[in-house]
Amino acid sequence: MDLVDQGLMLPLMEEFYTIQGEGYHKGTAAYFIRVGGCDVGCHWCDVKESWDAEKHPPTPITSIIENAAKFSDTIVVTGGEPLTWDMGPLTDGLRSKKLKTHIETSGAYPLTGEWDWICLSPKKVKPPVGDIHAKAHELKVIVYNKHDFQFAEEHAQQVGKDCILYLQPEWSVRDKVTPMIVDYVMQHPKWRVSLQTHKYLNIP
Ligand code: SF4
């Protein structure tokens, strides 16, 4: 088994210190680790460059962890689909340095790693597996068209009672769907609006 299969190296696409733009922690500084590799295939994906893991250099998690610790006490692991890989060694290393571990995932693969915050963003083309709904702290459904409200409700029925529910416009159709989301949230106030504020701020 090679080091990537063991989660000791990961195909690192980019890492950067910025402001979390979306969901519950929006507006707060965090260090982002973007791991390459995703075969979910959302047609509107805004990080298609992440899909092919081979394009991103296998990087020892020790150096990823060391870099992260220099910048923030909150580390957001995103992708790509981070659960393509075994996240256990990465989160063990981050937590050993007392860093908080957050993940953004579609849940398309079994949950690995120990997480302080799980943002589950399910996708129609490859639905979540296992019991990640019960473990999610926030459910973030990307709204591309009106059928996505039904999809959102189906997933809201599966999460725990404390899970925070977000509807977020898909960026390329934001002008069309944001008013639909605003109306929907007023009619169904268990939901909240999430905007990609980092894109409005023009930061990564
Ligand atoms: S799961 Fe995320 S990275 Fe993968 S295709 Fe969908 S939006 Fe893109």
Side-chain angles (χ1 to χ4, degrees), residues 3-4 7-15 33-36 53 55-67 90:
L3 294 171
V4 174
L8 297 173
M9 294 178 98
L10 291 168
L12 181 65
M13 179 174 164
E14 54 181 349
E15 46 185 348
I33 297 170
R34 188 184 300 286
V35 182
K55 292 196 174 138
H56 307 292
T59 306
I61 58 166
T62 45
S63 74
I64 298 174
I65 294 163
E66 234 163 73
N67 273 344
L90 177 66

Side-chain angles (χ1 to χ4, degrees), residues 38 40-42 44-45 47 50-51 80 106 123:
C38 183
V40 175
C42 308
W44 43 257
C45 178
V47 278
S50 70
W51 290 7
S106 68
K123 305 298 185 315

Side-chain angles (χ1 to χ4, degrees), residues 2-185:
D2 74 12
L3 294 171
V4 174
D5 289 334
Q6 293 173 55
L8 297 173
M9 294 178 98
L10 291 168
L12 181 65
M13 179 174 164
E14 54 181 349
E15 46 185 348
F16 48 93
Y17 183 45
T18 188
I19 304 294
Q20 167 62 279
E22 308 177 0
Y24 185 75
H25 295 284
K26 71 172 174 300
T28 59
Y31 191 76
F32 279 68
I33 297 170
R34 188 184 300 286
V35 182
C38 183
D39 69 354
V40 175
C42 308
H43 65 91
W44 43 257
C45 178
D46 60 358
V47 278
K48 291 194 168 108
E49 336 65 270
S50 70
W51 290 7
D52 184 355
E54 308 253 306
K55 292 196 174 138
H56 307 292
T59 306
I61 58 166
T62 45
S63 74
I64 298 174
I65 294 163
E66 234 163 73
N67 273 344
K70 287 181 204 152
F71 287 91
S72 182
D73 64 359
T74 302
I75 313 302
V76 180
V77 182
T78 188
E81 173 44 71
L83 294 180
T84 306
W85 316 104
D86 182 356
M87 289 285 118
L90 177 66
T91 58
D92 285 352
L94 292 169
R95 289 163 75 97
S96 75
K97 291 193 177 289
K98 309 267 181 277
L99 305 177
K100 289 195 278 294
T101 55
H102 295 196
I103 186 170
E104 311 244 341
T105 177
S106 68
Y109 292 100
L111 183 65
T112 51
E114 291 292 322
W115 302 99
D116 296 297
W117 193 265
I118 296 175
C119 172
L120 173 64
S121 186
K123 305 298 185 315
K124 280 182 185 149
V125 281
K126 210 168 171 68
V129 296
D131 62 349
I132 193 167
H133 284 93
K135 294 182 174 155
H137 299 88
E138 68 178 289
L139 173 70
K140 185 172 70 189
V141 177
I142 311 304
V143 179
Y144 185 80
N145 60 36
K146 65 177 173 12
H147 304 294
D148 292 327
F149 294 110
Q150 176 62 34
F151 177 75
E153 293 294 352
E154 285 161 21
H155 286 277
Q157 282 171 15
Q158 298 174 59
V159 297
K161 68 172 175 35
D162 294 327
C163 184
I164 305 167
L165 307 178
Y166 286 103
L167 297 169
Q168 178 172 297
E170 196 284 310
W171 182 253
S172 70
V173 291
R174 63 191 181 281
D175 290 346
K176 189 180 92 192
V177 298
T178 303
M180 291 161 54
I181 292 176
V182 168
D183 280 352
Y184 194 88
V185 169

